[in-house]
Amino acid sequence: MGKPRIEEWTQLRGLAFLAIVMQHSIAEYIYRADIESADSIMLTMIYHFTRFGTPTFVFLSAVLMFYHYGGKIRYGSFLRKRLGDVYVPFLIWTVIYWLYVRVFTPGFWQKGGQDFGSLLKEMFLPQTGYQLWFILMILQFYIFFPVLAGIVRYVRKRLDVLSERARSRSVVAIVAGTGLMYMGMLYISYHQMGAWSSRLGSPWSELIQYRSYSFMMYGFYFVVGAIWAANIEKCRAWCIKLLPWSGLVFIGMYIRLGYDVLQGSGEVVNLNISTYLKPSTFLIIVAQILLLYGLLLMMKGRSASFLRLLGWIGKYSFGGYLVHALVIYCIAFFTRPLTLTGSHLPVTLLTFFLTAAASLGISYTLSRLPGARWIVGAKRRAPKQAESEAEFRGKAAMY
């Protein structure tokens, strides 16, 4: 019968996509010289509502992989499919971003001005398509996934012989232990690795400088994804039970994170203070993912139109993710020459809405074309649609 489609995962992916678009829209305006302090503070407050975006993509990538490919897999065919769905679109969009930034530079058309060496560098360290670093990071997870899946299968076999209560305690211990080790790694990354980078020579300094590109720096989300995929109903129940607590933790860390950024910034707000690789940011991200997941579950049957919209956004979010920075570049072509004093907040919100709508529209259109897999990672739908979770349960009840 195959596995059912878990609707809240697609809806959560839709929210994560919107959060990432908002982050990058804010980054386009918050560092401008003519911004007023009121706009800076308001944009910082909105920014900290969106920190869950990229880590949520990591978590969902992990939970989907373990959900669908948790058993033994053929490494060759598995990796070819992943490269086709993810890496080929990365290569295509890397070239598109590289060309877009350079074709408007007069020196590009001069003899020798093309600088194709910089294009090769973009394949490993994306700069013009700044959001594409995520593809390189998640690709590492795909490469090592068969090994990780084997470890998960081994742990599950050891847990299956335990009683229900002992198994639940063991899972909680694994999550807690992994979380503590992960926070320790984040503490070292945030407070010490910067000094290491300045002392060490190449290539170690470069590896530390670009540590956010390593999938190991997001290891906690992969572990939780594996556990979530194997215990969907229990995780759902826990999300709902923890709603009051996850909400309180989120509010507390939201205040703390905003205070840290405003206190640590000078005349210009420094959003890098709340990087993903900071222990306090990690806490607000985990709390917000649990909070949003629980709220999505609570909304089932009550806000059908809104959830359908989120599901649609989530369905085309990968293509939207690939293209959205290009849309922001196009908008910035018109806004950067303007003086926006006192208007950075409304212009940022307008940019967000235009970018989200245009990116999803482009993703939807491209997904309808032949060869869409190579452009936006989407295949054209076969006549028979995938089963929903309700349909799957209805069929299962017949056996």
Side-chain angles (χ1 to χ4, degrees):
M1 291 186 295
K3 290 192 173 182
R5 183 176 62 247
I6 308 300
E7 295 176 354
E8 69 262 18
W9 294 350
T10 308
Q11 295 158 2
L12 187 61
R13 187 163 63 243
L15 287 174
F17 167 75
L18 295 176
I20 291 170
V21 173
M22 178 60 81
Q23 287 182 45
H24 293 159
S25 298
I26 290 172
E28 173 60 35
Y29 296 98
I30 197 168
Y31 294 117
R32 297 194 181 186
D34 60 341
I35 191 171
E36 294 182 346
S37 59
D39 283 335
S40 291
I41 293 173
M42 286 300 299
L43 290 179
T44 301
M45 293 173 66
I46 297 173
Y47 183 77
H48 287 141
F49 271 111
T50 66
R51 299 307 287 142
F52 72 97
T54 300
T56 301
F57 268 2
V58 178
F59 162 71
L60 290 173
S61 297
V63 74
L64 284 166
M65 290 299 294
F66 283 108
Y67 182 65
H68 290 291
Y69 298 98
K72 293 183 179 180
I73 58 178
R74 294 181 179 179
Y75 185 69
S77 59
F78 167 81
L79 191 56
R80 281 195 300 272
K81 185 179 186 304
R82 294 295 100 193
L83 289 174
D85 291 343
V86 177
Y87 192 62
V88 173
F90 164 80
L91 293 177
I92 291 174
W93 284 100
T94 296
V95 173
I96 291 173
Y97 279 100
W98 184 83
L99 285 172
Y100 176 83
V101 170
R102 284 161 178 78
V103 293
F104 294 105
T105 303
F108 179 84
W109 302 104
Q110 299 173 1
K111 185 177 180 181
Q114 287 78 9
D115 185 21
F116 289 104
S118 64
L119 175 59
L120 181 61
K121 185 178 180 181
E122 290 284 331
M123 301 297 179
F124 300 95
L125 296 173
Q127 299 297 317
T128 53
Y130 49 80
Q131 84 286 17
L132 298 179
W133 70 269
F134 175 83
I135 308 299
L136 292 179
M137 185 275 293
I138 209 68
L139 186 64
Q140 299 168 50
F141 170 61
Y142 294 153
I143 292 172
F144 291 101
F145 177 76
V147 176
L148 300 175
I151 295 173
V152 170
R153 288 195 301 271
Y154 172 78
V155 173
R156 288 187 65 179
K157 287 181 180 178
R158 298 293 298 269
L159 294 179
D160 285 344
V161 301
L162 302 177
S163 65
E164 181 70 20
R165 187 172 184 180
R167 187 161 57 245
S168 297
R169 288 180 175 178
S170 298
V171 170
V172 171
I174 291 172
V175 174
T178 304
L180 289 174
M181 289 188 292
Y182 185 68
M183 284 194 67
M185 182 177 69
L186 292 183
Y187 179 86
I188 295 172
S189 170
Y190 189 79
H191 294 284
Q192 299 182 18
M193 284 190 178
W196 296 355
S197 179
S198 61
R199 292 198 304 266
L200 297 174
S202 182
W204 302 110
S205 61
E206 284 80 8
L207 289 174
I208 292 175
Q209 181 181 356
Y210 294 103
R211 59 191 179 277
S212 62
Y213 284 49
S214 171
F215 85 105
M216 295 294 292
M217 298 304 297
Y218 304 88
F220 177 81
Y221 304 104
F222 294 121
V223 172
V224 174
I227 293 173
W228 209 286
N231 302 275
I232 297 173
E233 292 301 331
K234 287 185 178 180
C235 290
R236 284 171 167 169
W238 273 103
C239 274
I240 294 175
K241 287 181 181 179
L242 291 174
L243 268 178
W245 304 107
S246 58
L248 288 174
V249 172
F250 169 74
I251 292 172
M253 296 311 302
Y254 175 79
I255 296 172
R256 167 65 186 274
L257 213 58
Y259 179 79
D260 287 347
V261 170
L262 294 177
Q263 184 185 48
S265 301
E267 293 183 2
V268 179
V269 170
N270 181 10
L271 296 180
N272 288 326
I273 292 174
S274 57
T275 174
Y276 294 128
L277 306 182
K278 182 180 181 181
S280 56
T281 308
F282 165 66
L283 292 177
I284 194 175
I285 288 170
V286 173
Q288 194 169 13
I289 290 175
L290 292 173
L291 177 63
L292 291 174
Y293 202 110
L295 291 175
L296 287 174
L297 293 174
M298 295 289 289
M299 291 170 66
K300 281 188 176 181
R302 304 177 184 178
S303 304
S305 299
F306 177 67
L307 294 179
R308 278 198 300 270
L309 175 61
L310 286 181
W312 185 87
I313 293 173
K315 180 180 178 181
Y316 297 102
S317 61
F318 182 66
Y321 179 84
L322 293 172
V323 73
H324 81 275
L326 185 61
V327 177
I328 292 177
Y329 279 145
C330 293
I331 294 173
F333 181 80
F334 298 98
T335 61
R336 286 183 182 178
L338 301 177
T339 300
L340 300 174
T341 306
S343 301
H344 286 83
L345 175 61
V347 173
T348 299
L349 295 177
L350 179 61
T351 298
F352 161 73
F353 286 114
L354 291 175
T355 301
S359 301
L360 292 168
I362 294 171
S363 178
Y364 173 81
T365 302
L366 293 177
S367 70
R368 269 17 192 192
L369 300 177
R373 176 191 180 193
W374 311 111
I375 307 172
V376 292
K379 295 181 180 178
R380 298 183 74 180
R381 285 281 182 186
K384 185 178 180 180
Q385 300 291 323
E387 289 181 313
S388 68
E389 187 177 2
E391 292 167 344
F392 177 84
R393 287 178 172 177
K395 288 185 178 181
M398 298 166 58
Y399 288 85

